[in-house]
Amino acid sequence: MKQNQAEVTRNLYNLLLNPATRDWERSLLRTAKIGIDNGANFDDQIGKLEADLRPLALRNNLTPDVTDFYLKITGNAATLDSFDLSKHYDDDGPHQARAIFAGGCFWCMVEPFETKPGIIAVISGYTGGHMDNPTYEQVVGGYTGHVEAVEIIFDTTIWSYAELVELYWQLTDPTDEFGQMADRGSNYRPVIFVANEEQRQIAERSKQNLATFGKYKRPIVTAIEPTSVFWPAENFHQQFYQKNPRRYKKLKSARKQFLAFQHIQTKLWRGLKRSQKKSNNDIK
């Protein structure tokens, strides 16, 4: 793919200044930029940089912004455009509202909402922490107190907040306060972030109903917390299910299998409890 030299050089410079870029990534980027600045063949330098980054890229082990850059120089058309974050920053219209949910890795929390009619936008990001402008590396490292979350902007004439909460329960394990499925750590804990008293009452009532119904063997531990600043995640993470369909399919399948197995276990447990109760009544 023929590269736009001015754009690639500008991206190299920005990545060198980006605090989220790892030192070893920065050293490779710097070598390429110095070579280009000193008159070396542009395509040769970018080709060498791509080859140096490839082993980690294939293992999905580059930082998000460097990943985006790698995908651009290798011609992955699905990720050339930046995700439009304007809806996050715009004021809500007369029939719009927002819901913020954390339920493990945000890669798996977008598609179930975004593909529904009446959902205006779903944005992956970080919230609930104590640092401004956190990066993915910082959040995953547990340095910021943030959780991975999704901000859902929805049409209130089609969806109610209560209906979104009900869908949220179907996607998460509300009995695990230390993460979700294979995602472990405080940055993956399940949280419903409420923007006002109405949302709080709806979330608490829904959580209580879930506990009363006895669908789960263990206690419902999903937290309900007030909203704080929601920081949109890097472009690489937005609409991950569209950019990386194969990887997303595997993640989604693993999550569905886990939840299905959990529900089967619960049904067996509830059946055993009913059987024991009946036996005790017969004895009486």
Side-chain angles (χ1 to χ4, degrees), residues 208-247:
Q208 183 58 48
N209 290 340
L210 191 67
T212 302
F213 181 68
K215 182 179 180 180
Y216 295 93
K217 181 178 180 180
R218 296 185 295 169
I220 307 300
V221 296
T222 298
I224 298 174
E225 300 177 3
T227 57
S228 57
V229 178
F230 183 91
W231 302 97
E234 297 87 340
N235 183 67
F236 171 74
H237 298 297
Q238 306 298 340
Q239 294 181 316
F240 184 86
Y241 73 98
Q242 292 184 4
K243 298 175 181 178
N244 298 272
R246 290 184 179 179
R247 189 176 179 191

Side-chain angles (χ1 to χ4, degrees), residues 92-144:
D92 291 335
H95 299 293
Q96 292 182 12
R98 304 188 186 211
I100 298 179
F101 301 132
C105 178
F106 45 28
W107 290 349
C108 292
M109 290 291 290
V110 175
E111 183 260 350
F113 291 101
E114 188 174 68
T115 52
K116 300 289 192 299
I119 300 299
I120 298 167
V122 181
I123 301 160
S124 298
Y126 317 112
T127 193
H130 51 73
M131 179 185 290
D132 292 347
N133 298 301
T135 67
Y136 180 74
E137 291 286 295
Q138 292 169 332
V139 173
V140 171
Y143 312 132
T144 69

Side-chain angles (χ1 to χ4, degrees), residues 100-101 161 165 168-169 189-208 220-227:
I100 298 179
F101 301 132
Y161 182 73
V165 172
Y168 167 78
W169 294 128
R189 65 191 181 94
V191 186
I192 298 175
F193 291 95
V194 293
N196 49 50
E197 184 59 26
E198 180 183 8
Q199 285 192 355
R200 176 179 291 281
Q201 291 181 10
I202 291 172
E204 289 181 344
R205 184 165 55 248
S206 181
K207 179 179 177 179
Q208 183 58 48
I220 307 300
V221 296
T222 298
I224 298 174
E225 300 177 3
T227 57

